[in-house]
Amino acid sequence: MTALAGGLLAQGALATLAVLVAVSARGRARNLLAGVACAALSAAGAVSGALALSGATVTLRMATALPGAELVLAPDRLGGLLMLLVGSVGFLASVYAIGYVHGASASRTQWAALALFLLGMQLVPAAGDVVAFLLAWELMAAASTVLVLAEQAHRPAARQAAVWYAVMTHLSFVLLLAGFAALSATGGTTSFAGLAGTDAARPGATAAFVLLVVGFAAKAGVAPLHVWLPRAHPEAPSHASALMSAAMVSLGAYGILLVGIRLLPGGPTWWSVLLTALGAGSAVHGILHAGVATDLKRLLAYSTSENLGLVVAAIGLTMLLRTHHVPGAAGAALVAALLLLVSHAAFKSTLFLGAGAVLRATGERDLDRMGGLAHAMPWTAATFGVGSLGAAALPVTGGFVAEWTLLQALIHGVRPADRVVAVVVPLTLGLIALTAGLALVTFVKAFGIAFLARARSVTALAATEAPPSMRAAMVLGAVGVLALGVLPGPVAAAAASAIGVDGVRVAGLGGVELTGVGAVLSPAALVGLGAVVALPALALVLVVARRRPATTDVLGWGCGGVRTSPRMQYNATSYAEPVMRIFDDALQPRRDVVVTHVGESAYLAERVRFAQHHDDVVEVRLYRPLVAAADALADRARRVQNGSVNRYLAFSFTALVVVLLVVVA
Amino acid sequence: MTVVGEAHLMSTPGSAATQLIALAAGALLVTSVLMVWRRELSAQVRLLTVQGVSLAVLAVTIGLSGPASARAELLVVAALVLALRAWLLPWVVGRRLRAGVEAGDAAREDGARLNPTASLVVVALLATVAYLVSRPISEAVAAGSGAAVSGPAAFAVPVGVCMVLIGFLLLVGRRRAMSQLIGFLVLDNGIATVAFLTAAGVPFAVELGVSSDVLLVVLILAVLSRRIHAQVGSTTLDSMTELRD
C-alpha cells in the first residue's frame, strides 16, 4: 500500500473516529477531543494532497451495495493541490473551533457535521469517477447545511439562511447530476480518466458544459447564483464560515477547472466568453456589495463572491486564449486562477477566523458598533490586518502575487488582430482593475472601522483577546498569507505543474518568473531592498522623535474643540458613502431620515435618525419573482394534498394499476 | 393471447392437487369479492377467516405436491398460516370490532365512497387487469423457469394479483378504520397467495418474518383505531385531515 492510499484510508478512519468522539464525549472534553480528531483528519487530507501534488498516484476502488457501481478514488495532481488547500484550511478551522465553540455550536451535532463536512470536501478532489465525486459532493452539501444551523438555529434569520442554502446547494447538485449524466452519455464512461479530453463538438457536450458550469458556479458563489453566500456565512459558526468560504467555494472553482480544462477542452469561443463574463460580473457585483456592507461577515461573504468571480474569469480567459492561440498568456491566466484560489483560501480563512474572534468578544457583527479593538485584541487585529492586506491585493501578500499574475496574463494577452480577444481581454482588464480598487476601499473600511479609532459601543469597549487555540489558528493563517506573498515561486511552480502548464519558473529567492509572458516578480528581494532603505529611515525617525518634546494632540479643523462622543467618528456607513453615491443606480439604496424638531422651530433639530438599507438587485429582480412563482405552484399542489388518507391511498392505487398496465403493454 | 398458451397453462387439470389448488384459489377470489359487496363488518371478519383457511389449504397442497425434502418445512409454514391468518388476525380484528360496537360505534361500513354495484363493476375490471398483467408470470411459472418449479399452480397466479388489487380498492374506498384494516389484510393475503404459487412454497424464515410484520401492523392499527375513537368519537378517517403540508 502506498503512502497516498494510506492517507486516503486514514481520512476515512479519522472521520469515523471524530464522529464517534463527537457523539460520545461530554462537555469540554468533547470540544478538545473532537477538535483534535478533526484537525488530524484535515492534516491527513493535507498530507495526502501534498503527496498527490508531488506526483504520487493511486487508484482505490470500493465496491458498493449496488452491483456494477463502484467508487473510485484516484486523485491527480490538481486534485492533490485542492486537497492540500482544503486540508490546510480544515486544520486551521478545527484548531480554531476548539476555543471558539460555545453553547449550541459546541453540540454533538456540530462536531459530527464538521467531521463529515471535512471528509466530504477532502474526498471531492480525490474522486476518480462521477459516482464518487457526486457522493462526496452530497456529503459536503448536507453536512454544511447542518453547520449553517449549528450556532443560532433559534433565530428566524438563520433558519431562512439554511433554507436558502439548502435550496441553492441542491439545485446545484441536481444540475451537476444532469450535467454529468449528459457528459457520461457523450463520453460513454463515468471515470474522469476516460472522460478527459472529450470532444466538445459531440452532441450533448454543450448541454453538459452549461449544466455543469451553472451547477459549479452556484457552489462557488458566483453571481447571480451567490444569494446563499451573504445569508449563510453570517449565520454559520465562524469556523464553518471560514471552511465554506475558503475551502468549499474553491471546490466549485475546481469543478469549473475540471470541466473547462480537463474534461471538455477546446469548446467553442462562446463557452469561454460566458465564463469570463460570469466571472468578471460576479467580481464587480461582489466587491460593490462588500464595499457598502456594514455586517462584517456579510462583507466577507460578498468578497468571496468577488474573488471566486476573478478565478472563474481567469479560467474563462485561459480557455479563450487557448482557442485563439495565445498559449503563453493562457498558461499565465491558468496559473493565476490557481494562485487566486490558494491565496483566497489563505486570507479568507484568516479574515473569517478574525471576524469570529471579534464576534465572540463583542457579540457584534455590525461594523458600525465596533471600533478600537486593536487595543483590546492585538493578535486578532494584527492577523486580520494581514488578511485585509491580502484581500486588498497589496504587496507582500499572496493576493498581490495572484492579481499581478492575472494582470500580466491580461496585458500580454491582448491581440488587436483577433476581434474577440481584442474586445474581451481589455474589457476584463478594466473590470478587474475596478474590482481591485474597490477591494482596497472595502478592506480599509473593514480593518479601520473595526480595529482602529475608539469603541463605538459598550460591548466593543469590553472586548477581550481570543483564547490560545483561536490565536494560533489566526496566526498560522496570517503566516500563510505572508508566505504566499514573499515566496510565491515554489507555489506558482507547483500549481503550474499540477495543471500541466510550462512557462513558470522559480526566479531568484522564491520569486516567480512567467517565461510565457516574460515577467518576473521577486517579492523577497523587494522586501530585502525595502528593509535596507526603510530600516535606517525608521531608526532616524525614532531617534529624532525621542529628542523632541512630547506634543499634545489637538483636533484638526476642530476649532479648539474635541470630539467627545465616539459616535462622531467615521463609521462604516459614512466611509462607504462615496461608493454608495457613485454606484447609486446599481445599488439602489433606500434612505430614511427622521428629524425631530425642537418645539415649533423648523430650524432647530432635537434628534435626527438616519437609516439606510440596500437590497441585492439580483435578488429583487431575479429571485423574488422566481420564489413567488414557486409559491404559487406549491399552493396548487396543496389542493391535491388535502390530508385525506383515502385520497393518498387512491394515488398509490392508481399508480400501481398504471405501472402494471404499462409493464404488460 | 393465444389458444396454445391457454392449453399449456391448463396442462394437468385432472390431478387431485390441481383440483385442490383450483378450489382454494376460487375460495380466495370469492371471499375477496364478497368482502367488497358486504357492508356488515362482522361478516367481513368471518370472510377473513374463510380466506385464511383457504390460504392454508393452498399451502398444504403445494407442500404435498412439491419435492419430499421441503415437505416438512412447508407443512410447518401451512400450520403457521392457519394459526395466524385463519385464527389470530380475525380474532384480533373481531375483538376490537365488538369493543367498538359496545362503545357505541356503528357495526356497518356506512358511507363508503363507492356503492356496492359500482364496486362490483370495478372489481370485474380489476380482475381483468389482474389476468392481463399476470400472464408473463403465469407463463414463467408454468415453464418452470428460474426459481419457480410448481407447474400445476401457475394458472392460479392471477387470483393472487386480483386479491392485491381488491385489497387496495377496499383501502381506497372505505372510511372506517376497521375496514381499512380488513382491506390491508386482504391485500396481504393476496401477496402471500402470489408468493406460494410462484415460489413453490415459501421458506419458513421468510413466512415467519412476514407474519410477525403483519401481526405487528394489525395490533398497532387496532390500538390506533381505539385511540381515534377516544379522540374524535367515531372511527371514520374523514376527520383526520390535519396532517398535511
Side-chain angles (χ1 to χ4, degrees):
Chain A
M1 191 168 69
T2 62
L4 181 54
L8 289 175
L9 293 176
Q11 290 178 44
L14 283 167
T16 317
L17 178 73
V19 171
L20 285 178
V21 167
V23 173
S24 56
R26 289 167 175 281
R28 281 171 165 259
R30 182 197 299 148
N31 294 346
L32 185 62
L33 293 175
V36 169
C38 284
L41 163 64
S42 304
V47 171
S48 317
L51 286 172
L53 178 60
S54 66
T57 54
V58 72
T59 306
L60 279 185
R61 292 175 186 280
M62 280 173 285
T64 60
L66 293 173
E70 52 178 10
L71 303 180
V72 183
L73 293 183
D76 60 353
R77 302 183 73 171
L78 177 61
L81 179 67
L82 264 290
M83 216 197 286
L84 175 61
L85 183 155
V86 171
S88 311
V89 176
F91 182 78
L92 294 186
S94 306
V95 171
Y96 178 89
I98 297 173
Y100 173 79
V101 291
H102 52 279
S105 63
S107 64
R108 291 186 173 90
T109 320
Q110 189 277 136
W111 280 112
L114 181 66
L116 293 176
F117 184 39
L118 289 170
L119 180 70
M121 284 199 297
Q122 285 164 203
L123 290 188
V124 164
D129 76 339
V130 171
V131 182
F133 186 92
L134 288 173
L135 263 181
W137 191 267
E138 181 57 16
L139 181 65
M140 169 179 97
S144 55
T145 312
V146 175
L147 281 178
V148 171
L149 277 172
E151 193 165 71
Q152 14 201 7
H154 57 278
R155 279 170 41 121
R159 287 203 290 269
Q160 212 196 357
V163 169
W164 272 95
Y165 179 59
V167 168
M168 290 307 287
T169 198
H170 279 96
L171 194 68
S172 138
F173 185 75
V174 167
L175 291 171
L176 293 186
L177 202 60
F180 275 126
L183 186 62
S184 303
T186 307
T189 169
T190 59
S191 86
F192 286 149
L195 288 172
T198 305
D199 185 4
R202 287 166 80 166
T206 301
F209 178 82
V210 171
L211 286 167
L212 287 171
V213 160
V214 174
F216 284 125
K219 191 50 119 186
V222 170
L225 301 156
H226 65 287
V227 280
W228 59 271
L229 266 163
R231 286 192 162 78
H233 284 324
E235 303 302 334
S238 296
H239 61 282
S241 311
L243 274 175
M244 287 167 75
S245 197
M248 190 179 72
V249 294
S250 303
L251 292 175
Y254 167 69
I256 295 180
L257 273 174
L258 188 70
V259 175
I261 306 295
R262 189 170 168 211
L263 300 184
L264 284 168
T269 302
W270 69 266
W271 287 12
S272 44
V273 175
L274 172 80
L275 273 184
T276 313
L278 256 184
S282 176
V284 173
H285 175 272
I287 200 61
L288 213 48
H289 280 272
V292 296
T294 53
D295 180 321
L296 183 54
K297 287 177 91 176
R298 201 176 155 83
L299 179 149
L300 294 177
Y302 271 118
S303 147
T304 300
S305 181
E306 172 235 351
N307 281 288
L308 268 290
L310 291 180
V311 175
V312 173
I315 299 171
L317 284 168
T318 308
M319 290 163 64
L320 179 75
L321 294 172
R322 278 196 176 162
T323 10
H324 290 256
H325 311 295
V326 195
L334 195 49
V335 172
L338 288 179
L339 285 177
L340 279 167
L341 266 187
V342 173
S343 64
H344 172 251
F347 68 69
K348 196 48 70 65
S349 51
T350 311
L351 287 171
F352 261 116
L353 298 183
V358 170
L359 179 62
R360 188 178 182 279
T362 64
E364 289 291 346
R365 296 197 317 245
D366 189 352
L367 279 170
D368 286 347
R369 296 174 57 80
M370 294 177 192
L373 294 176
H375 312 296
M377 312 174 73
W379 289 91
T380 310
T383 52
F384 195 93
V386 171
S388 300
L389 283 180
L394 291 176
V396 300
T397 63
F400 172 72
V401 179
E403 287 210 13
W404 175 83
T405 314
L406 181 57
L407 291 175
Q408 288 294 340
L410 281 167
I411 290 166
H412 290 95
V414 180
R415 291 286 181 280
D418 190 322
R419 265 187 307 172
V420 179
V421 175
V423 171
V424 172
V425 172
L427 269 181
T428 317
L429 187 62
L431 287 176
I432 288 174
L434 174 63
T435 309
L438 284 171
L440 190 59
V441 174
T442 304
F443 283 94
V444 165
K445 178 185 82 176
F447 181 76
I449 302 290
F451 290 96
L452 304 181
R454 289 157 65 190
R456 294 178 183 78
S457 66
V458 182
T459 46
L461 204 58
T464 51
E465 182 57 280
S469 84
M470 289 167 65
R471 261 182 276 166
M474 290 187 290
V475 168
L476 274 177
V479 168
V481 175
L482 290 176
L484 286 173
V486 177
L487 302 168
V491 184
S497 70
I499 195 88
V501 169
D502 42 5
V504 176
R505 277 207 330 235
V506 181
L509 186 64
V512 57
E513 180 180 2
L514 305 171
T515 50
V517 295
V520 185
L521 178 69
S522 187
L526 286 178
V527 169
L529 198 65
V532 167
V533 176
L535 281 181
L538 198 65
L540 191 69
V541 167
L542 282 177
V543 168
V544 171
R546 193 167 286 178
R547 287 204 186 142
R548 295 278 295 269
T551 53
T552 49
D553 286 333
V554 291
L555 198 61
W557 300 99
C559 305
V562 283
R563 293 190 180 120
T564 48
S565 165
R567 289 172 58 79
M568 292 166 80
Q569 304 169 96
Y570 256 101
N571 64 13
T573 310
S574 51
Y575 188 83
E577 190 58 18
V579 177
M580 190 67 107
R581 286 209 181 274
I582 295 167
F583 296 98
D584 195 67
D585 284 341
L587 293 167
Q588 299 189 347
R590 286 175 285 124
R591 297 190 184 89
D592 293 324
V593 182
V594 181
V595 183
T596 314
H597 293 288
V598 180
E600 300 287 307
S601 165
Y603 301 106
L604 296 175
E606 188 183 341
R607 84 173 26 210
V608 180
R609 250 187 107 251
F610 175 83
Q612 177 173 281
H613 308 277
H614 70 280
D615 295 322
D616 197 326
V617 178
V618 174
E619 205 177 302
V620 176
R621 294 280 159 79
L622 182 65
Y623 283 87
R624 283 200 192 150
L626 276 179
V627 171
D631 264 351
L633 199 69
D635 270 339
R636 294 219 181 130
R638 209 164 280 152
R639 265 178 241 160
V640 177
Q641 191 189 20
N642 69 350
S644 155
V645 178
N646 288 109
R647 182 180 283 206
Y648 296 159
L649 284 168
F651 289 148
S652 23
F653 184 47
T654 318
L656 174 69
V657 171
V658 168
V659 166
L660 281 176
L661 288 175
V662 166
V663 167
V664 170
Chain B
M1 199 180 284
T2 58
V3 181
V4 179
E6 275 308 286
H8 176 64
L9 287 181
M10 292 291 205
S11 52
T12 51
S15 76
T18 314
Q19 294 283 356
L20 258 180
I21 289 175
L23 182 66
L28 285 170
L29 188 58
V30 169
T31 46
S32 307
V33 174
L34 282 177
M35 273 198 224
V36 176
W37 182 46
R38 295 298 297 265
R39 287 285 182 268
E40 204 73 37
L41 289 173
S42 54
Q44 297 204 6
V45 175
R46 283 196 294 278
L47 285 169
L48 212 52
T49 313
V50 176
Q51 212 167 59
V53 173
S54 314
L55 199 57
V57 169
L58 193 69
V60 169
T61 319
I62 290 173
L64 289 179
S65 61
S69 56
R71 203 162 283 169
E73 192 187 347
L74 283 173
L75 287 180
V76 175
V77 170
L80 183 67
V81 167
L82 190 71
L84 189 80
R85 294 180 196 265
W87 174 70
L88 186 58
L89 295 178
W91 180 74
V92 171
V93 177
R95 205 177 84 111
R96 173 67 212 120
L97 201 61
R98 280 191 296 281
V101 170
E102 275 165 24
D105 217 6
R108 283 172 60 83
E109 166 70 42
D110 298 317
R113 289 177 194 275
L114 281 174
N115 67 38
T117 324
S119 355
L120 288 177
V121 172
V122 173
V123 166
L125 286 175
L126 288 181
T128 319
V129 169
Y131 269 92
L132 279 177
V133 301
S134 33
R135 268 195 75 76
I137 309 173
S138 299
E139 278 167 9
V141 174
S145 62
V149 283
S150 68
F155 67 91
V157 171
V159 172
V161 178
C162 189
M163 283 170 72
V164 171
L165 294 179
I166 289 176
F168 227 132
L169 181 70
L170 286 172
L171 279 175
V172 171
R174 306 250 155 133
R175 296 187 173 189
R176 296 278 302 276
M178 293 318 288
S179 304
Q180 298 269 319
L181 190 45
I182 291 166
F184 171 73
L185 285 174
V186 172
L187 196 156
D188 192 71
N189 282 343
I191 293 174
T193 310
V194 175
F196 278 119
L197 291 174
T198 53
V202 177
F204 178 67
V206 173
E207 178 57 29
L208 192 66
V210 172
S211 303
S212 50
D213 251 12
V214 173
L215 185 60
L216 266 180
V217 168
V218 168
L219 287 175
I220 290 170
L221 283 180
V223 172
L224 188 66
S225 93
R226 197 171 75 213
R227 306 292 294 182
I228 295 171
H229 187 97
Q231 288 280 319
V232 297
S234 80
T235 51
T236 57
L237 298 176
D238 287 359
S239 44
M240 300 174 65
T241 55
E242 275 184 26
L243 190 65
R244 59 177 171 183
D245 285 357

